[in-house]
């Protein structure tokens, strides 16, 4: 066996020695190209193939997903302006399940799962903010489930209860929609969204719910306000408010004398029949 390799070596050496300088350069250059090609091919075949983990993510969801991938030490790539997250193909399903286990992606907002982890050292303010975030997230998810809607965000403003009813401010809501290409909402669908939001938030009136698209167009403008059987005059409204205020303060004062200051909250809502009738007798 040793003689075979020695003989082969001598034959190759003799062939190389018989070559001209130009032929030697060509063979050497070709050998370098072949070796470089093999190295590149080896590198490309050894690199993992990245496949989408999630697509069409909001900036908040994309940031949360990336942070979790860093924590899990999973390699990732971003595409389409950061709204698509890619991971190596062999781990895509395992990673997707791991993220789903911690509630990711949240589709633009956290829902009532924010209360899954009970903490006894939260202040009333923090609890109120968490509830507001959860309510916004749940509404966003529900509205985002419409076939015409690509993404949805709901913003709620729920004022704190005041001691006197005349000092209270009304709750308001704004629904921001990103519709799918060539999609549009019918008037009934817009009205349905408004009713969903107003009935999901205590004290939120339908007239205080706005629906807009990402271009700033007021979609809820096409909805006509509900007509009431009659409209009160300014004098009648003032009379009603004065009666409610005076009655409320009287009851409030009476209760505070018994229970102590700031120990009772009184609300008075009065309805008056201002209709007129004319009776003729003969």
């Amino acid at each position: 066996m040793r003689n075979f390799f020695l003989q082969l070596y001598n034959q190759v050496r003799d062939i190389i020695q018989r070559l001209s300088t130009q032929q030697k350069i060509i063979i050497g250059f070709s050998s370098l190209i072949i070796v470089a090609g093999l190295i590149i091919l080896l590198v490309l075949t050894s690199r993992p193939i990245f496949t989408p983990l999630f697509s069409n993510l909001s900036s908040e969801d994309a940031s949360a997903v990336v942070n979790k991938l860093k924590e899990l030490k999973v390699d990732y790539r971003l595409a389409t302006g950061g709204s698509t997250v890619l991971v190596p193909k062999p781990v895509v399903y395992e990673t997707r399940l791991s993220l789903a286990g911690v509630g990711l992606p949240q589709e633009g907002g956290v829902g009532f799962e924010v209360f899954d982890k009970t903490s006894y050292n939260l202040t009333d303010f923090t609890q109120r903010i968490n509830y507001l975030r959860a309510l916004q997230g749940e509404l966003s998810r529900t509205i985002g489930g419409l076939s015409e809607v690509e993404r949805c965000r709901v913003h709620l403003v729920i004022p704190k209860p005041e001691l006197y009813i005349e000092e209270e401010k009304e709750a308001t809501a704004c629904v921001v929609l990103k519709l799918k290409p060539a999609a549009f909402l019918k008037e009934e669908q817009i009205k349905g969204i408004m009713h969903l939001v107003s009935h999901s938030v205590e004290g939120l009136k339908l007239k205080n719910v706005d629906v807009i698209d990402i271009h700033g167009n007021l979609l809820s403008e096409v909805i006509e306000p509900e007509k009431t059987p009659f409209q009160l005059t300014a004098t009648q409204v003032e009379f009603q408010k004065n009666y409610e205020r005076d009655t409320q303060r009287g009851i409030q004062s009476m209760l505070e004398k018994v229970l102590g200051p700031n120990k009772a909250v009184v609300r008075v809502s009065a309805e008056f029949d201002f209709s007129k009738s004319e009776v003729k007798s003969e």
Side-chain angles (χ1 to χ4, degrees):
M1 181 65 68
R2 182 178 179 183
N3 293 333
F4 171 77
F5 285 108
L6 182 60
Q7 184 179 0
L8 180 63
Y9 170 75
N10 292 330
Q11 290 177 351
V12 172
R13 185 186 60 182
D14 293 339
I15 293 174
I16 293 176
Q17 288 178 350
R18 288 197 295 267
L19 295 175
S20 64
T21 303
Q22 185 177 3
Q23 290 175 327
K24 292 179 181 179
I25 293 175
I26 293 174
I27 292 176
F29 186 71
S30 300
S31 300
L32 289 176
I33 293 177
I34 293 173
V35 172
L38 291 175
I39 293 175
I40 293 174
L41 181 62
L42 181 62
V43 171
L44 291 177
T45 54
S46 62
R47 290 177 59 184
I49 299 175
F50 283 82
T51 188
L53 178 68
F54 297 112
S55 302
N56 297 322
L57 293 175
S58 64
S59 57
E60 294 86 354
D61 278 342
S63 176
V65 168
V66 167
N67 289 335
K68 191 62 180 179
L69 291 177
K70 291 179 180 178
E71 182 181 330
L72 296 175
K73 297 181 179 180
V74 176
D75 196 11
Y76 67 91
R77 299 286 187 274
L78 297 177
T80 60
S83 63
T84 299
V85 180
L86 303 97
V87 297
K89 190 174 182 179
V91 299
V92 62
Y93 297 111
E94 179 183 354
T95 305
R96 192 173 292 162
L97 289 174
S98 298
L99 294 178
V102 294
L104 291 175
Q106 297 173 347
E107 300 181 3
V110 65
F112 283 112
E113 67 271 7
V114 71
F115 296 106
D116 290 345
K117 296 181 180 180
T118 304
S119 179
Y120 298 99
N121 58 350
L122 295 179
T123 63
D124 291 340
F125 176 77
T126 304
Q127 289 278 27
R128 185 169 176 270
I129 294 299
N130 284 342
Y131 174 76
L132 186 63
R133 290 176 56 208
L135 190 55
Q136 291 177 157
E138 292 293 337
L139 287 171
S140 297
R141 292 175 181 178
T142 302
I143 300 171
L146 295 176
S147 58
E148 294 83 1
V149 178
E150 180 176 319
R151 191 173 302 160
C152 171
R153 291 294 299 271
V154 177
H155 302 274
L156 300 175
V157 178
I158 306 177
K160 292 179 60 177
E162 298 291 344
L163 184 61
Y164 297 105
I165 192 170
E166 65 270 12
E167 297 177 357
E168 285 190 350
K169 298 180 180 179
E170 294 184 343
T172 58
C174 182
V175 181
V176 184
L177 301 176
K178 180 181 180 182
L179 301 180
K180 295 179 180 178
F184 67 94
L185 293 176
K186 300 178 182 178
E187 182 176 332
E188 293 78 9
Q189 291 175 302
I190 299 175
K191 186 180 295 185
I193 292 174
M194 295 173 65
H195 277 277
L196 169 67
V197 176
S198 66
H199 285 78
S200 300
V201 181
E202 183 179 0
L204 178 58
K205 298 179 181 179
L206 186 66
K207 66 177 183 178
N208 292 332
V209 179
D210 288 332
V211 181
I212 66 173
D213 61 17
I214 59 172
H215 305 292
N217 299 315
L218 185 60
L219 305 180
S220 54
E221 191 176 24
V222 300
I223 307 300
E224 295 182 358
E226 296 182 355
K227 296 180 180 180
T228 56
F230 61 89
Q231 297 291 336
L232 298 180
T233 65
T235 303
Q236 292 170 340
V237 171
E238 185 67 22
F239 174 82
Q240 180 177 334
K241 287 186 176 181
N242 289 338
Y243 177 84
E244 291 174 343
R245 181 177 62 252
D246 294 341
T247 305
Q248 178 177 310
R249 288 179 175 175
I251 299 174
Q252 184 81 33
S253 176
M254 180 182 63
L255 291 176
E256 287 184 348
K257 289 180 180 179
V258 177
L259 303 176
N262 300 323
K263 296 294 184 179
V265 177
V266 178
R267 298 285 187 272
V268 175
S269 179
E271 293 184 3
F272 292 90
D273 184 4
F274 293 104
S275 60
K276 298 180 180 180
S277 61
E278 184 176 347
V279 179
K280 293 183 179 180
S281 60
E282 296 180 357

